Amino acid sequence: MSTVINVHLILGSTVSMIIPARVVESGDDGLLLWVAPRTPLWRATIPPGTHLRDLPPEGSYPLRADRWRHGGALILQPAGAGHAVWWSFTPEQEFRSWYVNLESRVRSMDGADVHVTDQELDITVAPDRAWEWKDEESFAAKTGHPVYWTAAEAAAIRAEGVRVTHLIDTAAYPFDGTWCDFHPPTSWPLPERPELPLGTVDAPSGVLLLGKGGWIDHRPAGDPPRSERASALAATGGGHLHDGGAAGPEPWGYEAVAVPAAADRPLPVRARTAPSPFDGEPVISVLEISLGLPWDHAAHGPGPVPLGDLPVDRCGMVLGDALALDRFEGLSGESVDGLADLMYWGRYKEEARVMFGGEPVHTHPGGSGPHGFLDLPLAEAAALAARIEDWVRTGPGNGLVVSVDPHTDYHRARRAGWGHPVLAGDIEVGGCRVLGLGWDPGDHSERHRGERAHGQVYPVTLQDRAGEAVLRWTVPAYEAPLEAEL
């Protein structure tokens, strides 16, 4: 079976799609890839009826699970060239047309990913080789913008396109009919949805911590800062940090895993996902962090190295620099900016909105969410919450929940993940980028509700990935129980 490469399509600074493609041919002259109909992928979420090219480049467009919506496509990425050629097919595998995408490309060190930066200007080519430029106005409008390309770069991009038109006009490869009769082997199944990039974290102290978000800022009286214990564990190669002493982790206490990490670079974080048994939406099945350090074969052999296990905290998980997380304001901490968010939900949500105002707050992809007010001064949020609660008591009665959430680091991390497919969001703590990982309440209740108290813990390991040390937390995908035989 052929290798699968994940193609990241990027416009400006936005990832528009990540799609897995099978390698048809690979050599010094480039790559030929196949994208099958209905291939599972990640696609940027943009307003209905719009195209990413027409939206502001500084916007936020989280990725969502989707599938390839067209017939199959072959993609030729010639080595060293500033373009790719696509063969488009109908669902019945009949050749439809060629498409020339002007682009730049970078392949990852391990070869598993190709990052393609779109240069907007393209060429459409009919089966009879009649061709025309595409998106010229948009290309011109983006020229000179700091996110895109300079005027000199634009001239080079167009010159690359002109070189390709000479190949079209002379019916030279790849426009000579080669691959137009391609049929993929029937043994090729659809590839899995690619890993989902979750951004990066920093670890300037050289120690990275992955732990439970609840009670992160609480520790037993007299205990040293957690970063001291984390540093001691990292010095031995990594290990499990918890508040349970020699007896082991407490059923509902704080716990984390600490590992050494590169102090001088961002550390990429990615996740494999699987459908939740609760609603079918993607949830994390493997969390992996590149540690920026070479794999130590002398110390670890081929690996993996077990570091302990962690439950899925219903309050979410936190990943970041151990020293920075000493300053993390948790569940019951103080607002870091004097502000708070007020939200209300329940049976009388719409009536409360008429009485007090507030806008929909989209806290979860695809969910209706509560109504509320963001970024209110603390005192104002508390006073408004009291008014709403008085109205509930004297009016409709029980049926509305009101919440005031001060801007603690815990709340900021959860808020940063609103709208993200796996509720991941990064914030700054102590000058470091820290990642918060929320968990859908329904999925947590279906699979992880017992947590450590009921043995629901999942292994954390140190592993070798293409010569680099990675931290990997494996949360097994849900498997429906086998039906009892009659």
Side-chain angles (χ1 to χ4, degrees):
M1 189 178 298
S2 68
T3 302
V4 172
I5 290 179
N6 298 319
V7 181
H8 301 238
L9 301 178
I10 304 162
L11 179 60
S13 57
T14 301
V15 176
S16 63
M17 187 184 300
I18 307 175
I19 182 166
R22 290 204 175 275
V23 176
V24 179
E25 288 190 347
S26 176
D28 293 340
D29 56 349
L31 278 173
L32 183 66
L33 306 173
W34 168 249
V35 177
R38 299 284 297 162
T39 292
L41 53 80
W42 297 103
R43 188 189 303 274
T45 302
I46 61 176
T50 63
H51 192 284
L52 189 61
R53 74 170 67 91
D54 302 319
L55 299 175
E58 64 274 9
S60 177
Y61 310 106
L63 296 169
R64 61 182 174 84
D66 202 352
R67 290 184 179 269
W68 183 248
R69 304 170 183 173
H70 312 284
L74 277 172
I75 307 172
L76 176 66
Q77 296 179 339
H83 72 275
V85 177
W86 292 54
W87 285 255
S88 296
F89 295 87
T90 67
E92 294 74 33
Q93 202 55 30
E94 296 177 357
F95 175 67
R96 176 180 285 164
S97 62
W98 292 281
Y99 189 89
V100 180
N101 197 61
L102 296 172
E103 62 188 40
S104 63
R105 292 185 296 272
V106 177
R107 191 166 179 183
S108 63
M109 291 290 291
D110 61 6
D113 300 86
V114 176
H115 296 259
V116 175
T117 299
D118 186 54
Q119 295 168 336
E120 191 69 14
L121 187 64
D122 300 314
I123 305 169
T124 59
V125 188
D128 64 359
R129 299 181 187 83
W131 61 268
E132 61 181 24
W133 294 102
K134 182 176 179 291
D135 299 329
E136 288 187 281
E137 291 183 4
S138 180
F139 174 69
K142 289 178 171 59
T143 298
H145 191 290
V147 172
Y148 298 110
W149 39 81
T150 65
E153 290 167 336
I157 292 168
R158 182 175 283 275
E160 176 78 1
V162 170
R163 283 192 288 273
V164 177
T165 64
H166 295 327
L167 300 177
I168 301 169
D169 290 338
T170 58
Y173 182 79
F175 304 99
D176 59 352
T178 304
W179 299 112
C180 290
D181 59 351
F182 176 75
H183 285 79
T186 57
S187 61
W188 285 358
L190 287 181
E192 295 181 355
R193 186 166 282 112
E195 292 177 330
L196 177 65
L198 302 183
T200 61
V201 294
D202 307 313
S205 72
V207 181
L208 186 71
L209 206 65
L210 168 65
K212 297 172 64 176
W215 301 97
I216 188 173
D217 57 344
H218 291 259
R219 64 178 189 270
D223 269 21
R226 288 208 173 96
S227 61
E228 292 187 18
R229 296 168 60 193
S231 296
L233 287 170
T236 66
H240 192 188
L241 170 69
H242 56 81
D243 291 338
E250 297 175 354
W252 300 105
Y254 176 76
E255 51 184 304
V257 164
V259 290
D264 60 348
R265 70 198 69 180
L267 308 175
V269 185
R270 52 194 165 258
R272 297 178 197 162
T273 63
S276 163
F278 174 68
D279 57 9
E281 292 299 310
V283 293
I284 293 173
S285 59
V286 177
L287 180 72
E288 188 175 272
I289 306 98
S290 297
L291 299 177
L293 302 174
W295 179 254
D296 189 338
H297 286 277
H300 304 313
V305 178
L307 298 175
D309 48 38
L310 293 174
V312 172
D313 187 0
R314 68 184 65 193
C315 299
M317 312 296 288
V318 177
L319 174 71
D321 180 77
L323 192 60
L325 290 177
D326 281 344
R327 304 173 56 177
F328 192 92
E329 292 286 348
L331 271 168
S332 57
E334 299 291 329
S335 173
V336 299
D337 58 8
L339 302 178
D341 298 333
L342 184 157
M343 287 175 281
Y344 56 87
W345 63 93
R347 181 178 177 184
Y348 302 112
K349 181 174 71 172
E350 296 304 327
E351 291 88 336
R353 185 181 182 190
V354 171
M355 288 291 297
F356 301 97
E359 296 298 327
V361 180
H362 301 291
T363 59
H364 192 274
S368 59
H371 289 339
F373 304 84
L374 303 180
D375 306 322
L376 295 177
L378 270 170
E380 183 179 333
L384 180 54
R387 287 174 52 208
I388 297 174
E389 288 168 343
D390 286 344
W391 169 76
V392 171
R393 282 192 295 269
T394 60
N398 293 335
L400 189 75
V401 179
V402 183
S403 173
V404 174
D405 295 303
H407 285 189
T408 62
D409 294 318
Y410 170 80
H411 178 69
R412 291 194 307 127
R414 289 180 69 87
R415 175 170 158 175
W418 290 351
H420 191 277
V422 294
L423 304 179
D426 64 85
I427 61 171
E428 184 178 299
V429 179
C432 300
R433 190 183 294 108
V434 169
L435 183 70
L437 297 168
W439 229 269
D440 180 271
D443 183 69
H444 185 278
S445 183
E446 285 271 340
R447 296 197 294 154
H448 315 297
R449 186 174 184 178
E451 298 187 13
R452 182 168 292 281
H454 290 264
Q456 290 178 296
V457 292
Y458 310 104
V460 185
T461 54
L462 198 63
Q463 301 204 187
D464 177 5
R465 175 166 171 156
E468 182 183 27
V470 299
L471 182 67
R472 186 175 295 167
W473 183 36
T474 304
V475 183
Y478 172 77
E479 292 186 4
L482 295 175
E483 295 183 7
E485 294 184 7
L486 296 178

